[in-house]
Amino acid sequence: MSGHGKQQPLLRHPAAAAGGTGRRRFLAFLAIAAALVASHHLLHAPAPSSRYHALFLTLGSNASAAAHLRALTLRPHVAGTPANALAAEYVRAALASLSFPTRVTPYSVLLSYPVHRSLSLSAGPGRATKSFSLTQDTYPNDPYADAAAEVIPTYFAYSGSGSVAAEVVYANYGDRKDYAYLASRGVDVAGKVVLARYGDIHCEDMVRNARDAGAAAAIIYTDAKDFGGPGAKGKRKYFPKARWLPPSGVQVGTLYYGNGDPTTPMWPSCAAGEDCERLTMEEVEGSEAMPGIPALPVSGRDGETIQKAMGGGVAPPEWQGGEGAPVYRIGPGPAVLNLTYIGNDTLATIENVFAVIQGKEEPDRYVIIGNHRDAWTFGAVDPNSGTAAMLEIAERLSKLEKKGWRPRRTIIVCSWDAEEFALTGSTEWVEDNMDMLASRAVAYLNVDISVFGPGGLMPRATPQLDELIKEASRMVPDPDDPSHTLYDYMIRQNPPIARVAGAGTDFAAFVQHIGVPSLDMSYGLFSEYPVYHSLYDDFVWMERFGDPLFHRHVALASVWGLIALRLADDEIIPFNYVSYASELEESSKVVEEGCRGCAVSFTPLHKSIKQLEKAATKIHMDKKVLQAQKWGQNTRERTLKVREINDRLMMAERAFTNREGLAGRPWYKHMIYASSDQDDWGTKAFPGIVSAIANAQKLNTSESWRLLQHEIYRGARAVSKASAVLDGRLT
């Protein structure tokens, strides 16, 4: 098949393709879903919209999800390329065909592409120099082999350009503690090329840590121990025979340590031809958010070749490779790497695509669902499994409209661009519409990846959404075990619902910059997806290993869409801040435990959380009283009371933000949830306090302890502000 823009025929219905057993299983799945929702609403929700919610769950189509995914993944589609513009048009046309008003919002932003890469290894005197090809091999009978030629060469976006020839030092997973260990062994990283492996933190943190340790360059590889599957070397099965990453597989990524267009930090970009303030390239390149050193991702095969040439002391057991791997040594040398990287950081056009379903009673209140569309390669899992699920939701909503449904509040469907570079599309749009969203957005519901593979529902959210997630997940059968619901697997996890704190995907701008309640969810475990950001993230991998029947896509779309419907249609927004107060109480104990014996007081924080608990309980009771009234009593007084309670519920999350932002990271406004300053994807509650604790313990000066106490007060004030909003009274 040709990968150059020709769409393949749509898939047969996967259940039909699987034969009678698959068809019966899928139909049973739909029947159980409908029965669960109908019975739940008969008991709990007299609102007429409940009939449409039950109908929504019967309209899922795995054939539709599969067809969208196949069409979206015919070609690699990196942001800023013609192929991604075609993907944007596909999404726009799909939404427009459902009679939804659509629009495309372009921005001109700084993207980054490779111009030249080379890497060679000198293993020592008398040994030949080895040049690495830096390519990923296509697999036997690869239907996308022709299109693979369009894949951008393996690289790190925004890597520093330059040439380095130096001895190699092995730094395990590239965490700060790994560099501390190297220092304890007397290994000096300064001026060396660091070799580190994926598996603990993300690449931008790994390269930044290498730079801060004084390294001249960094090489990051995918160790077979973590990505190559079980078994000894030579006996492992990998894609296409198994889900595991082939030896030539490379995980690419971005090294920019900020969010959005690097030329417009803290303010929105604009479309090409329009005039907006931008940093100069000299200012961008000199920014602390840029890595500042050359770096390259390489395959596990190449990483092992470098490991074999290493000398120095033997690395500790936890730094070693898997079965059959050579003994890992920490260096430095005698291996010398000669690395050259030249990049092209250039302004390019990206396109966000939107569809709007206008609300009937409250059109000025927005329930926003979103997924990004751009991919490093084919993107079958990341992100287009989410795109396919979102389009499948849109099709169901269109069918509901034909049956007479209209949402109470406006639903906005968003297809973001350039997420892979720096969450760029969503960040620019949020910055562009910040004031409107701050006053009108009810919630943002994100799915980056809908399906990793087997495992179950894995949500993360701000805590006021916890109860809603639990209620919705009880309504959807688990596609891998239809005798149980998605809730049954989720509730056995610890925790059942994680938090949206890391900057890993498009919820970041909504919750961490302007304080909109947010969630992100997927089906399955990330560990089941070893081909992440590689050539092999294609439709064949998804069809064989991720979701052969596409029933996991349908289940994820069902719970995602049902949550959106509840937020859009319920008369009173289904937020519960009692669980928020409980969560903060537990989180504060964890934070305080990390500062035992410190000469500071956490009393202000604990006091503010008690205030939040009281305010949350009060508004929860107010909701119950209002809901107990007869549903037909839509008097003006009642309508105003509903609006007033909803405003308090909607705006409380905004109160957790602070206009100055976190110390040293002003873009992050949320005082409760943000990424760690040591791990851009890591989750930290009270991030300002956590950072101040680490700083005070390191410096142990009176000023550092004073700043820690200041951060405790800042966190307490944010919680108190949220309590006041929930309470709805002026002081």
Side-chain angles (χ1 to χ4, degrees), residues 616-671:
T617 301
K618 178 181 180 297
I619 196 169
H620 188 66
M621 295 307 298
D622 290 347
K623 282 175 54 179
K624 293 294 185 184
V625 170
L626 198 56
Q627 288 170 332
Q629 295 176 3
K630 291 183 179 179
W631 289 88
Q633 292 181 347
N634 289 322
T635 62
R636 175 173 173 77
E637 180 182 0
R638 187 178 193 284
T639 299
L640 291 175
K641 181 62 177 176
V642 168
R643 178 77 168 196
E644 190 264 343
I645 283 183
N646 281 339
D647 284 349
R648 286 152 58 192
L649 290 167
M650 186 179 75
M651 298 303 293
E653 188 72 41
R654 315 286 198 272
F656 289 123
T657 63
N658 179 289
R659 71 179 62 178
E660 286 80 25
L662 298 178
R665 296 195 293 162
W667 188 89
Y668 290 94
K669 308 293 186 185
H670 208 282
M671 295 290 102

Side-chain angles (χ1 to χ4, degrees), residues 135-175:
T135 57
Q136 301 182 82
D137 302 332
T138 57
Y139 51 92
N141 303 313
D142 181 357
Y144 299 102
D146 291 342
E150 301 178 34
V151 172
I152 290 179
T154 53
Y155 79 117
F156 284 134
Y158 306 109
S159 168
S161 292
S163 296
V164 173
E167 291 182 320
V168 186
V169 170
Y170 172 49
N172 192 27
Y173 291 116
D175 207 336

